[in-house]
Amino acid sequence: MIGNLSQNRIRDEAQKALARKRLLAFTQRTKPAYTVGRLHWFIANVLELVEAGLLDRVALEMPPRHGKSELASVRFPAWYLGKHPDKQFVAASHTQDLADEFSSKARDVVKGATWPFPRVRLSGNAFAVRRWTVEEQQSDTLWTNTGGTYTPVGVGAGLTGRGADILSIDDPVKDWVQADSELIRENHWYWYQSVAATRLMPGAAVIMTLTRWHDDDMLGRALKMAETIADADQWFEVRLPALSGDHNVFASCQVPEKVARHAGITADEMWDMEKIVARLWACVKGDTDRATVEAERAAAYKRPRARP
């Protein structure tokens, strides 16, 4: 019996350690029912590369109900603040209500029983939604807030006094009706340039997670700037089309030229997710090959669920 308890504890500590290191393991630990597919594995790696500092502008473009928000707007913010309790995370959505919903879900992950970061915890009001903070353990009895905050905001609202090390924008428009409005598109673009972008801290990253209802949406305008202005932000795009004329196409990527050149990614490899991930991680670690990446992906699908 004692031996079994010891083995269970060792297993649990190993799962915690893995969850602190990898976003997908963190997601499976904090939400055991989460089903992992190839797309989720790829998105998790892209978000980890944001955390690692390699990617600073990322767009995740795909239809509704594909699990993108659960990973990018609930699990990733909590995991990021667990790793960086001194950073500021701003999460925007098309309404304050939706932003608050993501906020409460991410907050509940931090205060949940499966939280794997023992030296980081929620501070202040455990039921706060509009803005909550985390604190880091400095000694056996001392916990200190080192600046880590999560701030939800509706697109169009003010951010005075708030900074952002990560700015996450999840579905800036509700549906095609809003997206078809030129006035709404203009207002959203003005908000992004004059409000959101001005709150970015040095070295900050921006993540847009969205369904593309219109080519001239917020992301579309940012991409157009990237094409026409030499020093404009360059975006790493992950595209999953709702319909495809080619049965071999699953998802495609657009990698910024400077990143592709540094990683050695060619135009023919934009469809090969395993090779892209291997090349990008090699920029960070220096020794990641495709075989290692494919083994990690296979293990992610087969990894045992963490016990609630």
Side-chain angles (χ1 to χ4, degrees):
M1 183 64 177
I2 295 177
N4 289 337
L5 288 174
S6 178
Q7 288 181 358
N8 289 339
R9 183 171 182 178
I10 292 172
R11 184 183 301 110
D12 186 59
E13 290 300 322
Q15 290 175 345
K16 285 181 182 179
L18 184 60
R20 290 192 292 269
K21 182 179 179 182
R22 305 308 301 265
L23 176 58
L24 208 54
F26 174 85
T27 300
Q28 292 178 302
R29 177 178 176 81
T30 56
K31 189 174 183 178
Y34 190 79
T35 301
V36 178
R38 187 184 181 204
L39 176 67
H40 308 109
W41 170 85
F42 186 62
I43 292 174
N45 272 275
V46 170
L47 294 173
E48 287 177 356
L49 289 162
V50 171
E51 184 272 331
L54 183 65
L55 304 177
D56 62 3
R57 297 294 184 273
V58 166
L60 306 175
E61 310 164 35
M62 56 202 70
R65 310 306 300 170
H66 277 68
K68 60 186 185 297
S69 292
E70 182 67 38
L71 197 55
S73 299
V74 176
R75 307 294 151 176
F76 176 68
W79 180 76
Y80 179 83
L81 288 174
K83 292 176 72 69
H84 304 282
D86 60 331
K87 300 297 186 181
Q88 301 176 79
F89 198 106
V90 173
S93 294
H94 57 75
T95 61
Q96 184 68 57
D97 285 346
L98 182 59
D100 288 348
E101 182 179 335
F102 287 138
S103 174
S104 62
K105 288 180 178 179
R107 177 209 63 204
D108 288 347
V109 173
V110 176
K111 68 178 185 178
T114 54
W115 178 246
F117 295 92
R119 298 181 64 86
V120 178
R121 70 183 185 185
L122 197 66
S123 66
N125 185 355
F127 299 98
V129 173
R130 287 296 168 90
R131 182 175 182 268
W132 48 267
T133 61
V134 295
E135 58 186 9
E136 186 176 12
Q137 188 176 20
Q138 307 296 330
S139 67
D140 290 344
T141 58
L142 179 63
W143 290 77
T144 305
N145 177 267
T146 54
T149 62
Y150 180 104
T151 303
V153 63
V155 170
L159 277 169
T160 303
R162 305 285 187 254
D165 293 290
I166 299 284
L167 171 63
S168 174
I169 303 174
D170 191 312
D171 279 335
V173 295
K174 182 179 180 180
D175 50 31
W176 70 268
V177 176
Q178 284 193 353
D180 200 43
S181 167
E182 185 177 356
L183 177 61
I184 290 177
R185 296 197 307 273
E186 287 288 346
N187 288 340
H188 285 183
W189 182 239
Y190 177 80
W191 173 84
Y192 176 71
Q193 287 192 301
S194 63
V195 177
T198 64
R199 310 316 302 171
L200 297 177
M201 304 292 285
V206 180
I207 303 166
M208 287 196 196
T209 306
L210 71 168
T211 298
R212 298 296 305 277
W213 297 106
H214 200 288
D215 290 339
D216 188 44
D217 59 8
M218 187 187 296
L219 177 61
R221 295 191 182 198
L223 295 175
K224 187 175 181 180
M225 283 187 63
E227 292 177 357
T228 57
I229 301 177
D231 59 349
D233 294 336
Q234 302 297 308
W235 291 79
F236 184 102
E237 294 180 77
V238 180
R239 309 188 195 104
L240 178 69
L243 297 173
S244 175
D246 186 345
H247 71 278
N248 291 317
V249 173
F250 174 66
S252 65
C253 288
Q254 181 63 44
V255 183
E257 183 180 353
K258 62 179 181 180
V259 176
R261 185 169 58 250
H262 181 53
I265 300 171
T266 67
D268 293 338
E269 295 171 344
M270 295 300 177
W271 305 99
D272 192 330
M273 292 192 291
E274 287 79 11
K275 184 170 288 187
I276 290 173
V277 168
R279 295 279 176 85
L280 292 175
W281 275 121
C283 293
V284 178
K285 299 179 179 180
D287 60 353
T288 304
D289 59 21
R290 178 170 178 155
T292 301
V293 168
E294 290 182 339
E296 278 196 359
R297 179 168 66 86
Y301 296 162
K302 298 175 183 178
R303 185 175 296 130
R305 301 289 191 218
R307 297 181 181 179

